[in-house]
C-alpha cells in the first residue's frame, strides 16, 4: 500500500482559504488530516480581487459527504455562486451560466444545451478529435522535445470546442489567451486584475453574441446553430444566454481537459509499469485508464454550494445561508472510498471518482467528450511517440480551483528518416 501523506501543520492552523496553503508541498497530507480528524471544517475566506471579504465557508473533504452535497440540489443550491467568493448576481450568470443556476431555470437551460451534447453529437466529433490529435502529434514529432501543455495538451480541447461551436481557425489563439486570463485569476504570471478579467469576459461575450446571432440567421452544421435553433417548451436561447453558456464552455471544457491530459502524461512517466500495461492492451484498458487519469488529475479542485436550510453533515450543524465547499481533490484520495488511493492504477475498478462532480443536476455536461479526447490523445501519442516522457518537474498553476500545469517539458527520440 502506498503510504498516506502527512503534514506537521496543526489542525487549527489549516486554513483552506489562505493562498499560502496552496503553495505548500504537503497539500495531500493536509487533506488526509482533515479527512481523518475534522471532516467538516470552517474556514475564513480569501480576499477576492476587488470584492469585500465574505463570511467564510464550510468544507467537506470525504467522498460520501461530497456525494451527498452534490446530489441534494434542493438543500445545497448553486444560484448564489459556485466559487468561494461572492460575485454580484449579474456577474454570476454572465460568467457561470448554468453552473450558477438552480431548478427550474437550470433544468430548462440544461435541456436546451443537451441537444449539443447527445451521445450521437459526441460520437460525431470522434473523427474530428482523432484528426486533430494526429495532426498535433505529427506536427511536434520531428522536434524530439516540446512544451507538452501548450503544444500537445492544450491544443486539442481548444480546437475541438472551437470546431464544435463553429469558430474559425484564425480566432482559436485568442480564445486560448482569454480562457487563460479568466482561469488564471490568482496566479501572478497571468497578472489578472478585476479589469483584465472583466475585459476578457466581455470580449468573449461579444464574440459569442455575434456568433450566436449570425448562426440564428444562417444556421450551419455546428453546435452553435443547433443551440440557437433549439426549442424547449417554447423557449429559445437568447444571444445573451448563449454568450454566457459559451464563456462557460470555453473555460470549463478547455483547461480541465488540458490538465487531465497533462497530469496523465506525468503519471504515465512516473509509473512506467502502468504505462507499459496500458500500452500493451490499449483498447481493453482505455475505459479504466481514462477514469483513473481523471481521478488522479482532479482538474477541478472544488465547487461550492449554499445551504437553503439548517442541516447536519458528519455531526456538524451547518446553518441555512452558509457556504459549503466540496473538495473533489480530497474526495478522490479518500481512503474510505478507494483502495490504495495514492496509487495510480490504470486498471482501477470500481472507480467512483468525483472528478466530473459527485453526481446530481450539475454533473459535467462534457464528461463524455472529455473522456474521448483523453483516450484518443494517448492513443495517438503511444502510436507515434511511444517513448515520450516528462523531463524535470512541471511548472504548476498557483490556484485553489484549477489543478493546473502551466508548462511541462517532454522529450522523445525523434523518428528516423
Ligand atoms: C477532464 C475534463 C473535465 C473535468 C474534470 C470537468 C469537471 C467538471 C465539474 C467538476 C463540474 C461540476 C459538476 C457538479 O457541480 O456536479 C463540471 C460541470 C460542467 N462541465 Fe465539465 N469538466 C471537464 C470537461 C468538460 C468539457 C470538455 C466540457 C464541454 C465542452 C464541459 C462542460 C461543463 C459544463 C457545461 C458544466 C456545467 C453543468 C451544469 O451546471 O449543469 N466540461 N465539469
Amino acid at each position: 500500500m502506498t503510504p498516506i501523506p502527512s503534514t506537521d501543520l496543526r489542525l487549527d492552523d489549516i486554513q483552506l482559504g489562505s493562498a499560502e496553503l496552496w503553495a505548500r508541498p504537503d497539500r495531500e497530507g493536509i487533506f488526509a488530516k482533515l479527512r481523518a480528524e475534522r471532516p467538516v471544517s470552517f474556514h475564513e475566506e480569501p480576499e477576492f480581487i476587488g470584492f469585500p471579504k465574505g463570511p467564510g465557508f464550510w468544507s467537506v473533504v470525504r467522498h460520501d459527504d461530497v456525494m451527498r452535497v452534490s446530489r441534494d440540489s434542493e438543500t445545497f443550491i448553486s444560484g448564489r455562486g459556485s466559487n468561494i467568493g461572492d460575485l454580484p448576481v449579474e456577474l454570476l450568470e454572465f460568467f457561470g451560466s448554468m453552473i450558477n443556476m438552480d431548478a427550474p431555470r437550470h433544468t430548462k437551460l440544461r435541456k436546451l444545451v443537451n441537444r449539443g451534447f447527445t451521445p450521437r453529437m459526441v460520437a460525431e466529433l470522434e473523427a474530428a478529435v482523432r484528426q486533430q490529435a494526429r495532426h498535433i502529434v505529427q506536427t511536434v514529432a520531428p522536434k524530439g522535445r516540446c512544451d507538452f501543455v501548450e503544444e500537445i495538451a492544450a491544443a486539442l480541447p481548444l480546437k475541438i470546442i472551437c470546431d464544435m461551436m463553429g469558430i474559425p481557425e484564425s480566432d482559436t489563439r485568442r480564445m486560448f489567451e482569454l480562457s487563460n486570463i479568466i482561469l488564471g485569476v490568482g496566479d501572478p504570471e497571468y497578472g489578472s486584475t478585476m479589469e483584465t478579467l472583466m475585459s476578457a469576459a466581455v470580449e468573449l461575450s461579444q464574440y459569442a453574441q455575434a456568433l450566436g446571432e449570425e448562426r440564428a440567421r444562417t444556421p450551419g452544421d455546428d453546435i452553435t446553430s443547433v443551440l440557437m435553433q433549439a426549442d424547449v417548451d417554447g423557449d429559445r436561447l437568447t444571444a445573451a444566454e448563449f454568450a454566457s453558456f459559451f464563456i462557460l464552455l470555453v473555460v470549463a471544457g478547455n483547461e480541465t481537459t488540458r490538465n487531465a491530459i497533462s497530469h496523465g502524461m506525468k503519471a504515465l512517466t512516473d509509473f512506467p509499469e502502468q504505462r507499459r500495461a496500458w500500452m500493451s492492451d490499449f483498447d481493453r484498458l482505455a475505459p479504466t485508464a481514462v477514469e483513473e487519469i481523471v481521478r488522479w488529475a482532479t482538474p477541478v479542485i472544488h465547487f461550492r454550494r449554499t445551504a437553503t436550510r439548517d442541516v447536519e453533515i458528519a455531526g456538524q450543524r451547518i446553518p441555512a445561508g452558509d457556504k459549503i465547499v466540496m473538495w473533489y481533490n480530497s474526495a478522490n484520495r479518500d481512503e474510505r472510498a478507494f483502495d490504495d488511493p495514492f496509487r495510480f492504477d490504470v486498471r482501477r475498478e470500481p472507480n467512483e471518482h468525483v472528478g466530473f462532480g459527485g453526481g446530481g443536476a450539475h454533473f459535467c455536461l462534457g464528461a463524455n467528450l472529455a473522456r474521448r479526447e483523453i483516450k484518443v490523445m494517448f492513443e495517438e501519442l503511444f502510436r507515434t511517440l511511444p517513448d515520450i516522457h516528462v523531463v524535470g518537474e512541471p511548472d504548476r498553476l498557483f490556484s485553489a480551483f484549477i489543478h493546473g500545469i502551466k508548462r511541462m517539458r517532454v522529450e522523445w527520440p525523434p523518428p528516423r528518416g
Side-chain angles (χ1 to χ4, degrees):
M1 166 120 173
T2 317
I4 294 174
S6 60
T7 179
D8 48 23
L9 258 190
R10 287 182 27 242
L11 207 46
D12 287 338
D13 293 336
I14 298 179
Q15 277 305 327
L16 295 182
S18 112
E20 290 84 66
L21 183 133
W22 295 91
R24 289 180 64 106
D26 54 352
R27 191 196 293 182
E28 295 291 2
I30 290 170
F31 278 97
K33 186 163 192 145
L34 285 177
R35 283 194 300 279
E37 297 173 37
R38 196 172 283 173
V40 181
S41 53
F42 192 80
H43 300 268
E44 269 186 45
E45 269 178 60
E47 204 80 48
F48 186 62
I49 43 167
F51 291 100
K53 199 165 143 176
F57 60 93
W58 294 96
S59 282
V60 292
V61 290
R62 284 186 184 166
H63 188 268
D64 56 354
D65 295 333
V66 166
M67 300 278 264
R68 171 175 166 204
V69 172
S70 195
R71 286 168 188 217
D72 180 356
S73 50
E74 276 182 22
T75 310
F76 305 105
I77 58 169
S78 300
R80 308 236 188 109
S82 52
N83 291 114
I84 295 175
D86 291 303
L87 281 179
V89 183
E90 325 73 79
L91 287 187
L92 273 182
E93 197 169 318
F94 179 63
F95 271 117
S97 177
M98 64 202 288
I99 213 158
N100 290 333
M101 288 179 193
D102 297 304
R105 270 195 87 204
H106 173 263
T107 325
K108 254 191 173 168
L109 186 58
R110 178 118 183 175
K111 258 195 193 161
L112 268 169
V113 299
N114 260 338
R115 304 272 167 100
F117 288 86
T118 57
R120 195 173 62 88
M121 291 291 256
V122 173
E124 276 172 15
L125 284 169
E126 165 103 26
V129 173
R130 185 163 303 279
Q131 190 192 18
Q132 187 58 29
R134 195 163 288 175
H135 173 72
I136 291 167
V137 174
Q138 280 168 358
T139 306
V140 297
K143 296 168 72 168
R145 70 167 73 127
C146 74
D147 171 36
F148 188 84
V149 177
E150 177 153 6
E151 294 182 65
I152 298 181
L156 182 66
L158 181 73
K159 182 70 173 72
I160 297 303
I161 291 176
C162 289
D163 270 10
M164 278 170 72
M165 308 309 277
I167 295 168
E169 177 81 44
S170 50
D171 293 341
T172 53
R173 175 82 217 167
R174 188 69 190 140
M175 299 291 135
F176 180 70
E177 290 164 0
L178 294 173
S179 72
N180 270 344
I181 295 173
I182 294 177
L183 277 178
V185 171
D187 187 299
E189 180 177 334
Y190 297 109
S192 298
T193 59
M194 203 51 205
E195 285 75 43
T196 51
L197 178 69
M198 280 313 292
S199 82
V202 167
E203 189 179 332
L204 268 182
S205 168
Q206 285 170 344
Y207 184 94
Q209 290 227 19
L211 185 75
E213 282 161 8
E214 205 263 317
R215 295 303 199 283
R217 280 194 304 272
T218 34
D221 59 1
D222 48 52
I223 286 177
T224 304
S225 304
V226 175
L227 296 180
M228 294 309 294
Q229 308 298 319
D231 189 316
V232 169
D233 310 332
D235 273 350
R236 274 167 187 260
L237 273 187
T238 64
E241 282 171 330
F242 171 73
S244 292
F245 179 63
F246 175 90
I247 296 180
L248 172 63
L249 275 194
V250 169
V251 294
N254 243 331
E255 306 262 349
T256 48
T257 317
R258 163 206 314 191
N259 286 313
I261 295 172
S262 299
H263 284 290
M265 185 70 244
K266 174 82 170 100
L268 291 163
T269 301
D270 291 347
F271 303 93
E273 77 294 350
Q274 294 297 316
R275 175 199 184 110
R276 274 193 299 276
W278 192 13
M279 283 177 86
S280 66
D281 201 355
F282 187 86
D283 284 337
R284 197 174 66 82
L285 292 186
T288 51
V290 167
E291 295 308 318
E292 181 67 344
I293 286 175
V294 177
R295 181 188 78 92
W296 193 255
T298 313
V300 179
I301 300 176
H302 71 256
F303 267 126
R304 164 204 150 194
R305 302 288 191 258
T306 307
T308 53
R309 58 177 176 90
D310 291 357
V311 61
E312 205 178 287
I313 304 180
Q316 173 65 53
R317 198 184 76 88
I318 294 179
D322 276 15
K323 302 178 184 187
I324 298 153
V325 175
M326 300 171 285
W327 295 95
Y328 300 129
N329 59 324
S330 174
N332 277 345
R333 294 288 185 278
D334 189 344
E335 309 73 11
R336 292 152 203 81
F338 299 97
D339 193 23
D340 203 356
F342 289 91
R343 180 179 142 77
F344 176 73
D345 178 1
V346 294
R347 296 187 185 87
R348 182 178 291 281
E349 206 163 12
N351 185 355
E352 246 202 284
H353 69 79
V354 295
F356 291 120
H362 291 272
F363 186 80
C364 177
L365 179 71
N368 284 330
L369 175 60
R371 290 179 175 118
R372 219 167 263 253
E373 290 183 24
I374 297 167
K375 174 185 163 222
V376 170
M377 194 45 150
F378 282 105
E379 196 172 358
E380 293 301 321
L381 281 170
F382 289 165
R383 191 201 317 274
T384 308
L385 309 174
D387 299 313
I388 185 170
H389 57 275
V390 175
V391 183
E393 272 306 300
D395 189 1
R396 293 175 194 274
L397 180 74
F398 185 59
S399 165
F401 179 48
I402 292 293
H403 187 210
I405 296 184
K406 294 193 283 190
R407 277 172 292 271
M408 187 168 79
R409 203 167 136 203
V410 283
E411 288 181 3
W412 60 90
R416 296 210 187 110

